[in-house]
Amino acid sequence: MEENFDLLAQSRANYYTKGSPIQFVKVELLKGDVSGDIAVCLSFKNITSQPIVGLLVDFKCKDRNGGVVCQDQFYYQGLDTSNGQVFGADDAVYISKTPVGSVEVDLLEAYLEDGSILDLSGYGRTRLPAPKKLPVELARKLEERTHKTGLAYVPQVLDQGWYCACGAFHPREEDGVWCSECGGDRILMQNTLSSMLQANRTAQPAADQQPTRMVPPVKPEEPTRAVPPVSQQPDPSYNVPPMHSQQEDDDDMIVAPERPAASARSGYTANYTEQQEYGYDDEGYEEDEYDYEDGDMDPRDVVAERIIRWAPPITAILCAVTALIGFILTR
């Protein structure tokens, strides 16, 4: 029974082989729809001017913990790949029952159409910087402008080569401006992206032209409650006890006005409990105030009332006597 394999995961090579006419491009993991096996497929690119008919590589597959699960050689034969073509993805180099975490590839030999053999083992690897991702909205607009799909990266030129917007890396040995994978023109993509960014900057008003934003006023907190100021030089008749705080609710701390001492508390009658609570004890004070029952009168008020009552007639009598004495003396 024939089994189909579906793409499970893929990853581009994070290095390139400087100076080599063959470059390792990417690794793909395919999963069988019947057995569930994982097939490891590798892709390469020919950047020579001659067709390649065969390629020998050494590969090492590792699990997700970094342990080597397979290391072997694989020979790609019957190829007919010209300059810029990608090949190898149709052949599985390894079938695994468990997922593969990473793959390392060493290029050994390339077989040309004229029968010559290129030794590839002397080219060392050079690690590549990761390509820069485009914002999703900007990537979508770039795809619309260029009529291509999969453009998720910033097209950029590096010392080692250049990145296409599709993520493909092209070493300097691969002379050209066309991407061998998506067919995009590097210069056209860079210019298109630059014009889009410039249009975004132009569309945004300058800082001094942007409308003033109305900021709602900050809602004030609970209004401060006015408390009568405490005199710096209190009246000697007041015996001011220490100030204390009283919390009326969770958000307000209210400084309660202090009660005056007993000698100055006009009209205030405290019970025993209140006196003990605030430290007022009338036994220790000289009795300056009097408590009267209803209908009683202060003796001092009685004397004043009598003076007011008898002062007019006494004054009138004294005036009459004075006038009489004056009349007698003038005779």
Side-chain angles (χ1 to χ4, degrees), residues 220-243:
E221 299 180 356
E222 185 74 12
T224 304
R225 303 186 184 182
V227 177
V230 179
S231 176
Q232 298 298 325
Q233 295 182 357
D235 191 321
S237 64
Y238 280 73
N239 181 16
V240 181
M243 298 179 68

Side-chain angles (χ1 to χ4, degrees), residues 1-2 16 37 48 119-120 161 166 179 182 221 228 244 251 303-304:
M1 180 178 178
E2 185 177 354
Y16 84 106
D37 292 343
T48 67
D119 183 8
L120 306 178
C166 69
C179 178
C182 71
E221 299 180 356
H244 64 278
D251 299 326
V303 173

Side-chain angles (χ1 to χ4, degrees), residues 44-48 81-86 174 179-181:
F44 304 89
K45 180 163 54 175
N46 176 20
I47 60 174
T48 67
T81 60
S82 58
N83 176 267
Q85 284 188 329
V86 178
E174 184 183 356
C179 178
S180 56
E181 296 189 35

Side-chain angles (χ1 to χ4, degrees), residues 261-263 265 270 275-276 279-287 291:
S263 60
R265 282 182 290 154
Q275 290 177 341
Q276 295 301 320
Y280 299 124
D281 187 358
D282 291 338
E283 295 181 358
Y285 293 90
E286 183 179 354
E287 191 66 44
D291 293 331

Side-chain angles (χ1 to χ4, degrees), residues 310-322:
W310 294 104
I314 293 175
T315 302
I317 294 172
L318 291 176
C319 290
V321 171
T322 302

Side-chain angles (χ1 to χ4, degrees), residues 253-291:
M253 293 295 293
I254 308 301
V255 179
E258 301 302 322
R259 293 190 175 104
S263 60
R265 282 182 290 154
S266 175
Y268 177 76
T269 302
N271 56 32
Y272 176 80
T273 303
E274 290 173 329
Q275 290 177 341
Q276 295 301 320
E277 178 183 354
Y278 291 97
Y280 299 124
D281 187 358
D282 291 338
E283 295 181 358
Y285 293 90
E286 183 179 354
E287 191 66 44
D288 292 331
E289 294 186 357
Y290 301 89
D291 293 331

